[in-house]
Amino acid sequence: MSWLSLLILIPFATALAVVATPDSKWYLRRWVALFGTGVVLALSLVMSVSYMQVVQQRGGDASVLTISQMEFEQSIPWFKSMGIEYHVGVDGIAMAMIVLTAIIIFTGVLASWEVKERSREFYAFLLVLVTGVFGVFISVDLFLFFLFYEVAVLPMYLLIGVWGTGRKEYSAMKLTLMLMVGSALVLVGMLALYHAAGSQTFDLNKLAMVDYSRDLQQWVFPCVFVGFGVLGALFPFHTWSPDGHASAPTAVSMLHAGVLMKLGGYGVLRVAVYLMPEGAKQWALFFLVLTTINIVYGAYAAIRQTDLKYFTAYSSVSHCGFVLFGLCSLNLMGFKGAVIQMFSHGIMTGLFFGLIGMVYGRSKTRDLTQMGGLSKRIPWLATSFYIAGLASLGLPGLSGFVAESTVFLGGFFGNRWVDATTMRICTLLATSSIVVTAVYVLRGLSRVFQGPMTKPEFSQMQDATIPEKLCTGILVATLAIVGMYPPVLIDLIEHAILPIANRF
């Protein structure tokens, strides 16, 4: 059995084990979930080291490749008549996303340590969701890719609708409907590529060798880009995201922003950009302008928020815009920046939403105007919050700086298909969002943690528990490691990005 198959079997088996726990021993469920996700985290780290060793041993010049090279492949015929296979494999991009997912689900379980209401179903759905996410990242067959994509998205409806807060039913329904519309566009695009290939295969690399007509790519590319872009919070299809974030329980918010939204950027890169380079060239300017609006609008919208979750949700809309902006630059530096930003933002926003859940559990409010002076009582959580905020505004030494600076360099380098002046104007506008980000991050943090305590009951608050310290410590350490030693991530992804960049 392939290592990759274990990435989907272990979470699913853990979900079954959680379901099998006795009613009287609810506390066992969190330990079962923690053990299962811990095994997956360890496996993902071992696989990433093994992947680097395989790539180094194989050698060769990746700068001349135009087809992605997959490792740890396993292929089993499924529906032979339609060319559908259980075909899994990874390159450096997928490997980075697998490590990200493993970190977020492990820390998400720690952040949900006190969940008691219907904990059996909660942990089970959470693990099924992450099974789907892993499945997306390891799929080489597009039909399998889409199948796991739907498995990853659908549990969100129940996780928000049952365990959420506020307008949870409305938020769950809005999220599900908008993502289903996006999925429909993706499915149309995939079926069009399959039919036009004429070879009865959904294999990603075989489809990449097909010379699709310019006319086909002209209408299929925007379908796939927008379809995945809905999940990546592409303006103006982002409106489901803030509501979904605000209503979701802590671990679900962490997975939602930290991993699920990255499926959008990953899908755009893996399917739209990789398979349809001519379509990408034709639509580059349009989507470049749209993603610039994405970045600037999200930053200004965050300034106006008084709810901590909405505040972070609009910040995520802005930062996810950097991913799509980097992809629209159509050059090696931009692609590299987009993937680094997916990883960096996943860790950073996972930390943000985890901390918001921990602070809300103590203060019983997310209203910025009602909070103040909390650093006196919860110094660990306050310090972690500040580190997340500094990563968000791109402080050197943290991963946000590496990601955003690489995306901006990709924008300035430009490409042959978009006017250089237009490209640089969009890049300058996107860069200006850093100033806006600094304003809302520093102002928001000062309101929550500085100054006098606004309520007497805040003086009874307790600082982070051991599971919460472990959760936040892992995420903070990851931000720092990638920020201070970027090659730990860049070396993993660069070999996989070159074949995609070489298609332009």
Side-chain angles (χ1 to χ4, degrees):
M1 180 184 294
S2 168
W3 282 20
L4 297 179
S5 295
L6 291 176
L7 285 173
I8 55 178
L9 287 176
I10 292 173
F12 188 72
T14 305
L16 296 178
V18 167
V19 171
T21 55
D23 290 338
S24 60
K25 296 184 178 180
W26 61 268
Y27 54 86
L28 284 178
R29 293 166 195 152
R30 61 191 184 187
W31 285 106
V32 170
L34 187 67
F35 176 78
T37 55
V39 171
V40 169
L41 176 57
L43 178 62
S44 70
L45 295 175
V46 170
M47 283 181 59
S48 63
V49 173
S50 179
Y51 172 82
M52 287 300 299
Q53 292 173 344
V54 169
V55 170
Q56 290 169 1
Q57 289 170 3
R58 185 179 61 228
D61 186 6
S63 64
V64 299
L65 297 175
T66 57
I67 301 298
S68 296
Q69 292 183 302
M70 298 294 177
E71 305 296 344
F72 311 131
E73 284 190 90
Q74 180 183 14
S75 182
I76 301 172
W78 194 2
F79 295 106
K80 285 186 177 181
S81 60
M82 298 181 65
I84 297 173
E85 299 178 314
Y86 174 78
H87 186 185
V88 295
V90 292
D91 60 5
I93 301 169
M95 199 67 252
M97 295 299 101
I98 287 168
V99 172
L100 168 65
T101 305
I103 292 172
I104 294 297
I105 185 58
F106 182 74
T107 54
V109 171
L110 289 169
S112 306
W113 205 246
E114 299 303 322
V115 170
K116 296 179 183 177
E117 180 190 356
R118 304 182 70 175
S119 59
R120 176 189 285 114
E121 294 88 348
F122 176 81
Y123 287 119
F125 280 123
L126 202 63
L127 289 160
V128 168
L129 184 154
V130 86
T131 299
V133 174
F134 280 126
V136 170
F137 292 139
I138 68 174
S139 294
V140 181
D141 183 278
L142 278 186
F143 183 87
L144 191 66
F145 180 105
F146 186 78
L147 179 65
F148 279 122
Y149 185 81
E150 293 304 299
V151 172
V153 169
L154 291 176
M156 289 290 291
Y157 177 78
L158 292 171
L159 285 166
I160 295 175
V162 176
W163 290 275
T165 58
R167 298 192 302 168
K168 57 184 182 180
E169 292 87 359
Y170 165 80
S171 299
M173 183 63 72
K174 183 177 182 181
L175 177 149
T176 304
L177 290 177
M178 291 195 71
L179 295 187
M180 287 300 100
V181 171
S183 296
L185 289 172
V186 170
L187 182 60
V188 168
M190 286 184 175
L191 292 176
L193 293 173
Y194 170 79
H195 178 73
S199 55
Q200 287 195 327
T201 181
F202 280 96
D203 187 284
L204 188 70
N205 285 336
K206 289 180 181 177
L207 293 176
M209 291 186 280
V210 176
D211 185 18
Y212 292 110
S213 70
R214 186 181 177 89
D215 290 341
L216 177 78
Q217 294 189 44
Q218 189 171 17
W219 72 267
V220 175
F221 180 86
C223 277
V224 177
F225 193 106
V226 172
F228 284 120
V230 172
L231 186 53
L234 175 67
F235 179 89
F237 310 106
H238 66 284
T239 56
W240 62 271
S241 180
D243 290 326
H245 282 311
S247 298
T250 301
V252 178
S253 288
M254 292 173 69
L255 274 171
H256 176 185
V259 176
L260 278 180
M261 292 176 75
K262 307 308 171 286
L263 294 182
Y266 181 81
V268 169
L269 178 61
R270 185 65 81 195
V271 181
V273 174
Y274 179 48
L275 298 185
M276 295 174 283
E278 289 302 319
K281 295 171 188 176
Q282 293 178 63
W283 286 91
L285 176 60
F286 176 80
F287 285 115
L288 184 74
V289 172
L290 211 57
T291 54
T292 303
I293 296 171
N294 218 122
I295 294 167
V296 177
Y297 164 79
Y300 277 101
I303 286 182
R304 298 182 57 84
Q305 305 307 313
T306 57
D307 183 299
L308 261 178
K309 275 202 170 182
Y310 274 103
F311 167 89
T312 309
Y314 278 104
S315 173
S316 289
V317 170
S318 178
H319 283 86
C320 283
F322 286 122
V323 174
L324 299 177
F325 184 92
L327 297 178
C328 291
S329 67
L330 303 184
N331 60 51
L332 176 62
M333 189 65 71
F335 292 158
K336 193 186 301 182
V339 178
I340 299 171
Q341 175 68 358
M342 281 194 277
F343 187 91
S344 171
H345 181 256
I347 298 295
M348 179 191 72
T349 199
L351 178 59
F352 256 134
F353 279 109
L355 289 165
I356 290 171
M358 295 169 197
V359 171
Y360 175 72
R362 291 163 169 79
S363 65
K364 307 305 179 186
T365 182
R366 297 196 308 253
D367 192 336
L368 291 171
T369 62
Q370 296 181 20
M371 304 170 82
L374 299 188
S375 62
K376 299 178 180 66
R377 297 299 308 166
I378 50 173
W380 178 284
L381 296 180
T383 302
S384 300
F385 234 122
Y386 270 99
I387 293 172
L390 294 173
S392 177
L393 57 84
L395 182 75
L398 295 172
S399 62
F401 173 77
V402 180
E404 292 174 15
S405 59
T406 311
V407 169
F408 296 146
L409 284 173
F412 274 108
F413 289 167
N415 57 59
R416 291 175 291 166
W417 307 282
V418 178
D419 176 68
T421 303
T422 304
M423 193 86 181
R424 287 171 184 170
I425 289 173
C426 288
T427 305
L428 286 170
L429 288 172
T431 307
S432 70
S433 69
I434 295 176
V435 179
V436 184
T437 302
V439 171
Y440 69 71
V441 166
L442 296 177
R443 188 173 68 173
L445 292 176
S446 65
R447 281 184 177 181
V448 175
F449 297 109
Q450 302 302 315
M453 285 194 181
T454 53
K455 292 184 178 181
E457 54 266 32
F458 289 166
S459 62
Q460 305 302 315
M461 292 173 64
Q462 300 295 316
D463 203 6
T465 62
I466 292 176
E468 289 171 340
K469 287 182 177 179
L470 183 57
C471 167
T472 54
I474 291 171
L475 295 172
V476 166
T478 306
L479 290 176
I481 290 169
V482 174
M484 290 188 283
Y485 189 68
V488 73
L489 179 59
I490 293 173
D491 290 350
L492 180 65
I493 66 175
E494 192 162 26
H495 190 274
I497 293 172
L498 280 169
I500 302 175
N502 290 340
R503 298 172 71 83
F504 293 91

